[in-house]
Amino acid sequence: MSKLRIPYIPPSEITPSQLVLSRRTFLKSGAAALAALAAPAQARLAAQASAYSTQEPLTPFSDVTHYNNFYEFGTGKEEPAQRAHSLITRPWTVSVEGLVQKPRVWDVEALLRFPLEERIYRLRCVEGWSMVIPWIGFPLAQLLRQAEPLGSAKYVEFVSLHDPRQMPGQRLPLLDWPYREGLRLDEALHPLTLLAVGLYGELLPNQNGAPIRLVVPWKYGFKSAKSIVRIRLVEKQPLTTWMRAAPDEYGFYSNVNPAVDHPRWSQARERRIGEFHKRPTLPFNGYGDQVASLYAGMDLKKFF
Amino acid sequence: MGRASRTESVRRPRLAWLKPFLFLFALLPLARLVWLARGQGLGANPVEYVTHSTGTWALVWLLATLAVTPLRWLSGRNELVRLRRMLGLFAFFYASLHLLTYLWWDQFFDWNEIARDVIKRPFITAGASAYLLMLPLALTSTQAMMRQLGRHWQRLHRLVYGVGIAAVLHYFWLVKKDLSQPLLYGAILSLLLAARVMHWLRSK
């Protein structure tokens, strides 16, 4: 039996390596496109770094997304992560209305076309814990300026989605649904005030307030309304959900303030999630240099 | 041999089985915490988790203790009283873990801050009261103390009703908005106390 000699031909001689590599890139980008179609929440968001970001170590993604106060999905901290899959975030619109020259109903996809920034902010919950979260979004001021607020507009009210089918926690009259929050117009226009559409480089997970939420880093976390559907400019100070629920415990301003305790617990210290020892809480959550001037001359014990 | 001691000997094995079983069962919540802690299963805020868990179980064993007497009346099984001390001591055990978690991992033994908390915050005041009322009950739980105190023992141990009320108030005043859990425990406590009032009225 004659032996047939088969010469060894390295694969690189058959297909040039650039082609192999470009085919890989093609497959990868195809897979990424498919994944993006199948699960839009996994899409990476392009965002500019911001000078407003803190250098502090980030709270792990799993803690940011599994330790949430979002009563629309239950009062347990882990419930939002377990139950928020019922929230449908596309299509979604946000109306900017009230005392504005140009009211407009925005599609969330149009909001995603605002120039996005990554803002790494501290978040201090009124309950005494805190996190550091890399949000992605754009300053609320950009949206409000497009609406051209009238001179009579003094406050901004934020209304979250009200749909008990999507938000099972709303089947209980625990709070007066829909969730409402508010800011003074100058607070709303402050460059730190962010409309967030993502975190950790991805679209917002449902439990964190998808598809669009407010982030006001110098105020207690509950001021940062989630899953917003309406932004209304008004003349009078809005009555927020927590003010309605417990007026002696939650005020309109709710600025982080270690000197003003919650009636039932101290606000002097906080536990950063992931840390064992508590740390002192800073006035305005450490953003005093940027925002303290907004409250010059105000008695912060009275306007808590 | 008297009739009473015969029924005694019949019923004894059943309780003999129940008591060690209950003892092991009552240790499960603690075992679970240790297990979760080893596997990073205590969530994002482990100290909060341990505080809530030990507090809840202290309340559960306290209500179980208070359920013994009404259950005796309902079932006619007086031997159930033999479980009462153990249940009460488990309530004290979990309350001690709960208190220690607060003193150590929440306040890091900052006694000024702790004193301020007890004075200023009604839910801490209630919790501290519940524990202080429990302390003499735990200390006088031995046979020797029972004998020594005689009829005063029972009077002293009526403090347990105060412990129950203070413990439920402690829970009521600490939750932010969702009162469903404290209401549930409050309802069970009310039922157990109402049973005593009914019994007392009937026996008058």
Side-chain angles (χ1 to χ4, degrees), chain B residues 5-7 16 27 34 36 46 63 68 112 127 129 131 133 151 159 162 178-179 195 202-203:
Chain B
S5 58
R6 203 160 6 134
T7 48
L27 283 172
V34 173
L36 287 175
L63 293 177
V68 167
N112 279 330
S129 313
Y131 192 79
L133 291 175
R151 63 192 170 85
L159 280 178
D178 185 2
L179 287 173
R202 229 180 272 171
S203 65

PDB file of all heavy atoms in Angstrom, chain B residues 5-7 16 27 34 36 46 63 68 112 127 129 131 133 151 159 162 178-179 195 202-203:
ATOM      1  N   SER B   5     -50.589  10.208  88.285  1.00  0.00           N
ATOM      2  CA  SER B   5     -49.219   9.876  87.897  1.00  0.00           C
ATOM      3  C   SER B   5     -49.215   8.881  86.735  1.00  0.00           C
ATOM      4  O   SER B   5     -48.256   8.811  85.991  1.00  0.00           O
ATOM      5  CB  SER B   5     -48.452   9.311  89.097  1.00  0.00           C
ATOM      6  OG  SER B   5     -49.130   8.177  89.572  1.00  0.00           O
ATOM      7  N   ARG B   6     -50.334   8.123  86.595  1.00  0.00           N
ATOM      8  CA  ARG B   6     -50.378   7.191  85.473  1.00  0.00           C
ATOM      9  C   ARG B   6     -50.505   7.968  84.138  1.00  0.00           C
ATOM     10  O   ARG B   6     -49.792   7.698  83.194  1.00  0.00           O
ATOM     11  CB  ARG B   6     -51.530   6.203  85.629  1.00  0.00           C
ATOM     12  CG  ARG B   6     -51.242   4.945  84.823  1.00  0.00           C
ATOM     13  CD  ARG B   6     -52.056   3.767  85.278  1.00  0.00           C
ATOM     14  NE  ARG B   6     -53.029   4.128  86.303  1.00  0.00           N
ATOM     15  CZ  ARG B   6     -54.301   3.738  86.285  1.00  0.00           C
ATOM     16  NH1 ARG B   6     -54.743   2.999  85.335  1.00  0.00           N
ATOM     17  NH2 ARG B   6     -55.133   4.077  87.229  1.00  0.00           N
ATOM     18  N   THR B   7     -51.445   8.940  84.110  1.00  0.00           N
ATOM     19  CA  THR B   7     -51.566   9.730  82.871  1.00  0.00           C
ATOM     20  C   THR B   7     -50.239  10.439  82.593  1.00  0.00           C
ATOM     21  O   THR B   7     -49.821  10.561  81.457  1.00  0.00           O
ATOM     22  CB  THR B   7     -52.688  10.786  82.955  1.00  0.00           C
ATOM     23  OG1 THR B   7     -52.534  11.473  84.195  1.00  0.00           O
ATOM     24  CG2 THR B   7     -54.044  10.163  82.861  1.00  0.00           C
ATOM     25  N   ALA B  16     -41.394  14.318  75.829  1.00  0.00           N
ATOM     26  CA  ALA B  16     -39.973  14.010  75.846  1.00  0.00           C
ATOM     27  C   ALA B  16     -39.407  14.086  74.425  1.00  0.00           C
ATOM     28  O   ALA B  16     -38.264  14.436  74.211  1.00  0.00           O
ATOM     29  CB  ALA B  16     -39.735  12.615  76.431  1.00  0.00           C
ATOM     30  N   LEU B  27     -32.977  26.531  67.199  1.00  0.00           N
ATOM     31  CA  LEU B  27     -31.608  26.931  66.836  1.00  0.00           C
ATOM     32  C   LEU B  27     -31.447  27.138  65.334  1.00  0.00           C
ATOM     33  O   LEU B  27     -30.460  27.720  64.872  1.00  0.00           O
ATOM     34  CB  LEU B  27     -30.606  25.877  67.315  1.00  0.00           C
ATOM     35  CG  LEU B  27     -30.296  25.903  68.814  1.00  0.00           C
ATOM     36  CD1 LEU B  27     -29.446  24.695  69.178  1.00  0.00           C
ATOM     37  CD2 LEU B  27     -29.598  27.195  69.219  1.00  0.00           C
ATOM     38  N   VAL B  34     -25.723  31.833  60.210  1.00  0.00           N
ATOM     39  CA  VAL B  34     -24.309  31.470  60.095  1.00  0.00           C
ATOM     40  C   VAL B  34     -24.036  30.922  58.693  1.00  0.00           C
ATOM     41  O   VAL B  34     -23.067  31.290  58.032  1.00  0.00           O
ATOM     42  CB  VAL B  34     -23.934  30.431  61.184  1.00  0.00           C
ATOM     43  CG1 VAL B  34     -22.513  29.926  60.967  1.00  0.00           C
ATOM     44  CG2 VAL B  34     -24.085  31.039  62.572  1.00  0.00           C
ATOM     45  N   LEU B  36     -25.749  31.518  55.913  1.00  0.00           N
ATOM     46  CA  LEU B  36     -25.823  32.596  54.927  1.00  0.00           C
ATOM     47  C   LEU B  36     -24.582  33.482  54.982  1.00  0.00           C
ATOM     48  O   LEU B  36     -24.058  33.909  53.951  1.00  0.00           O
ATOM     49  CB  LEU B  36     -27.078  33.456  55.169  1.00  0.00           C
ATOM     50  CG  LEU B  36     -28.419  32.831  54.788  1.00  0.00           C
ATOM     51  CD1 LEU B  36     -29.569  33.737  55.207  1.00  0.00           C
ATOM     52  CD2 LEU B  36     -28.484  32.570  53.288  1.00  0.00           C
ATOM     53  N   PRO B  46     -25.594  43.271  55.288  1.00  0.00           N
ATOM     54  CA  PRO B  46     -25.650  42.126  56.210  1.00  0.00           C
ATOM     55  C   PRO B  46     -26.038  42.505  57.638  1.00  0.00           C
ATOM     56  O   PRO B  46     -26.757  41.750  58.298  1.00  0.00           O
ATOM     57  CB  PRO B  46     -24.222  41.573  56.181  1.00  0.00           C
ATOM     58  CG  PRO B  46     -23.594  42.132  54.949  1.00  0.00           C
ATOM     59  CD  PRO B  46     -24.261  43.441  54.684  1.00  0.00           C
ATOM     60  N   LEU B  63     -43.888  35.264  71.431  1.00  0.00           N
ATOM     61  CA  LEU B  63     -45.308  34.974  71.215  1.00  0.00           C
ATOM     62  C   LEU B  63     -45.587  33.490  71.428  1.00  0.00           C
ATOM     63  O   LEU B  63     -46.640  33.124  71.956  1.00  0.00           O
ATOM     64  CB  LEU B  63     -45.740  35.422  69.804  1.00  0.00           C
ATOM     65  CG  LEU B  63     -45.721  36.938  69.577  1.00  0.00           C
ATOM     66  CD1 LEU B  63     -46.094  37.278  68.140  1.00  0.00           C
ATOM     67  CD2 LEU B  63     -46.653  37.659  70.546  1.00  0.00           C
ATOM     68  N   VAL B  68     -48.407  29.346  75.192  1.00  0.00           N
ATOM     69  CA  VAL B  68     -48.432  28.064  75.921  1.00  0.00           C
ATOM     70  C   VAL B  68     -49.664  27.963  76.818  1.00  0.00           C
ATOM     71  O   VAL B  68     -50.402  26.970  76.757  1.00  0.00           O
ATOM     72  CB  VAL B  68     -47.127  27.894  76.739  1.00  0.00           C
ATOM     73  CG1 VAL B  68     -47.267  26.746  77.724  1.00  0.00           C
ATOM     74  CG2 VAL B  68     -45.951  27.644  75.800  1.00  0.00           C
ATOM     75  N   ASN B 112     -22.428  57.096  74.284  1.00  0.00           N
ATOM     76  CA  ASN B 112     -23.126  58.388  74.194  1.00  0.00           C
ATOM     77  C   ASN B 112     -24.239  58.313  73.167  1.00  0.00           C
ATOM     78  O   ASN B 112     -25.365  58.732  73.406  1.00  0.00           O
ATOM     79  CB  ASN B 112     -22.161  59.499  73.772  1.00  0.00           C
ATOM     80  CG  ASN B 112     -21.348  60.004  74.952  1.00  0.00           C
ATOM     81  OD1 ASN B 112     -21.839  59.974  76.080  1.00  0.00           O
ATOM     82  ND2 ASN B 112     -20.136  60.440  74.683  1.00  0.00           N
ATOM     83  N   GLY B 127     -37.766  49.132  72.560  1.00  0.00           N
ATOM     84  CA  GLY B 127     -36.943  47.926  72.451  1.00  0.00           C
ATOM     85  C   GLY B 127     -36.108  47.716  73.706  1.00  0.00           C
ATOM     86  O   GLY B 127     -36.028  46.604  74.234  1.00  0.00           O
ATOM     87  N   SER B 129     -36.759  48.874  76.672  1.00  0.00           N
ATOM     88  CA  SER B 129     -37.658  48.515  77.777  1.00  0.00           C
ATOM     89  C   SER B 129     -37.995  47.025  77.725  1.00  0.00           C
ATOM     90  O   SER B 129     -37.981  46.343  78.761  1.00  0.00           O
ATOM     91  CB  SER B 129     -38.967  49.294  77.697  1.00  0.00           C
ATOM     92  OG  SER B 129     -38.724  50.645  77.462  1.00  0.00           O
ATOM     93  N   TYR B 131     -36.286  44.629  76.555  1.00  0.00           N
ATOM     94  CA  TYR B 131     -35.155  43.805  76.974  1.00  0.00           C
ATOM     95  C   TYR B 131     -34.933  43.878  78.482  1.00  0.00           C
ATOM     96  O   TYR B 131     -34.692  42.863  79.134  1.00  0.00           O
ATOM     97  CB  TYR B 131     -33.879  44.207  76.231  1.00  0.00           C
ATOM     98  CG  TYR B 131     -32.782  43.191  76.426  1.00  0.00           C
ATOM     99  CD1 TYR B 131     -32.787  42.011  75.698  1.00  0.00           C
ATOM    100  CD2 TYR B 131     -31.779  43.381  77.370  1.00  0.00           C
ATOM    101  CE1 TYR B 131     -31.818  41.043  75.895  1.00  0.00           C
ATOM    102  CE2 TYR B 131     -30.799  42.424  77.574  1.00  0.00           C
ATOM    103  CZ  TYR B 131     -30.823  41.248  76.836  1.00  0.00           C
ATOM    104  OH  TYR B 131     -29.871  40.294  77.028  1.00  0.00           O
ATOM    105  N   LEU B 133     -37.124  44.473  80.770  1.00  0.00           N
ATOM    106  CA  LEU B 133     -38.185  43.724  81.454  1.00  0.00           C
ATOM    107  C   LEU B 133     -37.947  42.224  81.359  1.00  0.00           C
ATOM    108  O   LEU B 133     -38.355  41.453  82.237  1.00  0.00           O
ATOM    109  CB  LEU B 133     -39.551  44.060  80.850  1.00  0.00           C
ATOM    110  CG  LEU B 133     -40.105  45.468  81.100  1.00  0.00           C
ATOM    111  CD1 LEU B 133     -41.406  45.677  80.341  1.00  0.00           C
ATOM    112  CD2 LEU B 133     -40.337  45.679  82.601  1.00  0.00           C
ATOM    113  N   ARG B 151     -44.676  32.488  95.750  1.00  0.00           N
ATOM    114  CA  ARG B 151     -45.820  33.062  95.035  1.00  0.00           C
ATOM    115  C   ARG B 151     -45.437  34.362  94.319  1.00  0.00           C
ATOM    116  O   ARG B 151     -46.122  34.811  93.408  1.00  0.00           O
ATOM    117  CB  ARG B 151     -46.978  33.295  95.994  1.00  0.00           C
ATOM    118  CG  ARG B 151     -46.676  34.285  97.092  1.00  0.00           C
ATOM    119  CD  ARG B 151     -47.740  34.258  98.184  1.00  0.00           C
ATOM    120  NE  ARG B 151     -47.301  35.052  99.319  1.00  0.00           N
ATOM    121  CZ  ARG B 151     -47.479  36.369  99.375  1.00  0.00           C
ATOM    122  NH1 ARG B 151     -48.083  37.007  98.418  1.00  0.00           N
ATOM    123  NH2 ARG B 151     -47.029  37.051 100.424  1.00  0.00           N
ATOM    124  N   LEU B 159     -44.656  40.237  84.137  1.00  0.00           N
ATOM    125  CA  LEU B 159     -43.950  41.254  83.347  1.00  0.00           C
ATOM    126  C   LEU B 159     -43.887  40.876  81.862  1.00  0.00           C
ATOM    127  O   LEU B 159     -43.713  41.737  81.003  1.00  0.00           O
ATOM    128  CB  LEU B 159     -42.510  41.424  83.857  1.00  0.00           C
ATOM    129  CG  LEU B 159     -42.283  42.288  85.094  1.00  0.00           C
ATOM    130  CD1 LEU B 159     -40.813  42.277  85.459  1.00  0.00           C
ATOM    131  CD2 LEU B 159     -42.752  43.717  84.843  1.00  0.00           C
ATOM    132  N   GLY B 162     -45.878  42.907  79.556  1.00  0.00           N
ATOM    133  CA  GLY B 162     -45.240  44.201  79.234  1.00  0.00           C
ATOM    134  C   GLY B 162     -44.170  44.021  78.172  1.00  0.00           C
ATOM    135  O   GLY B 162     -44.033  44.842  77.261  1.00  0.00           O
ATOM    136  N   ASP B 178     -44.751  50.394  55.623  1.00  0.00           N
ATOM    137  CA  ASP B 178     -45.472  49.140  55.490  1.00  0.00           C
ATOM    138  C   ASP B 178     -45.691  48.515  56.871  1.00  0.00           C
ATOM    139  O   ASP B 178     -44.813  47.864  57.424  1.00  0.00           O
ATOM    140  CB  ASP B 178     -44.678  48.185  54.591  1.00  0.00           C
ATOM    141  CG  ASP B 178     -45.448  46.907  54.312  1.00  0.00           C
ATOM    142  OD1 ASP B 178     -46.598  46.796  54.776  1.00  0.00           O
ATOM    143  OD2 ASP B 178     -44.903  46.034  53.628  1.00  0.00           O
ATOM    144  N   LEU B 179     -46.905  48.699  57.428  1.00  0.00           N
ATOM    145  CA  LEU B 179     -47.177  48.232  58.788  1.00  0.00           C
ATOM    146  C   LEU B 179     -47.658  46.778  58.833  1.00  0.00           C
ATOM    147  O   LEU B 179     -47.992  46.286  59.905  1.00  0.00           O
ATOM    148  CB  LEU B 179     -48.251  49.124  59.423  1.00  0.00           C
ATOM    149  CG  LEU B 179     -47.791  50.533  59.835  1.00  0.00           C
ATOM    150  CD1 LEU B 179     -48.981  51.364  60.299  1.00  0.00           C
ATOM    151  CD2 LEU B 179     -46.752  50.458  60.938  1.00  0.00           C
ATOM    152  N   ALA B 195     -57.223  36.233  75.289  1.00  0.00           N
ATOM    153  CA  ALA B 195     -57.558  34.901  75.827  1.00  0.00           C
ATOM    154  C   ALA B 195     -57.434  34.906  77.353  1.00  0.00           C
ATOM    155  O   ALA B 195     -58.250  34.305  78.057  1.00  0.00           O
ATOM    156  CB  ALA B 195     -56.629  33.858  75.222  1.00  0.00           C
ATOM    157  N   ARG B 202     -64.169  34.673  83.102  1.00  0.00           N
ATOM    158  CA  ARG B 202     -64.988  33.480  83.277  1.00  0.00           C
ATOM    159  C   ARG B 202     -64.778  32.843  84.649  1.00  0.00           C
ATOM    160  O   ARG B 202     -65.690  32.295  85.243  1.00  0.00           O
ATOM    161  CB  ARG B 202     -64.665  32.471  82.171  1.00  0.00           C
ATOM    162  CG  ARG B 202     -65.933  31.942  81.523  1.00  0.00           C
ATOM    163  CD  ARG B 202     -65.617  30.969  80.446  1.00  0.00           C
ATOM    164  NE  ARG B 202     -65.410  31.635  79.171  1.00  0.00           N
ATOM    165  CZ  ARG B 202     -64.951  31.018  78.097  1.00  0.00           C
ATOM    166  NH1 ARG B 202     -64.591  29.753  78.163  1.00  0.00           N
ATOM    167  NH2 ARG B 202     -64.819  31.665  76.967  1.00  0.00           N
ATOM    168  N   SER B 203     -63.533  32.930  85.124  1.00  0.00           N
ATOM    169  CA  SER B 203     -63.218  32.271  86.395  1.00  0.00           C
ATOM    170  C   SER B 203     -63.626  33.118  87.595  1.00  0.00           C
ATOM    171  O   SER B 203     -63.493  32.690  88.729  1.00  0.00           O
ATOM    172  CB  SER B 203     -61.729  31.951  86.452  1.00  0.00           C
ATOM    173  OG  SER B 203     -61.013  33.163  86.460  1.00  0.00           O
TER     174      SER B 203
END
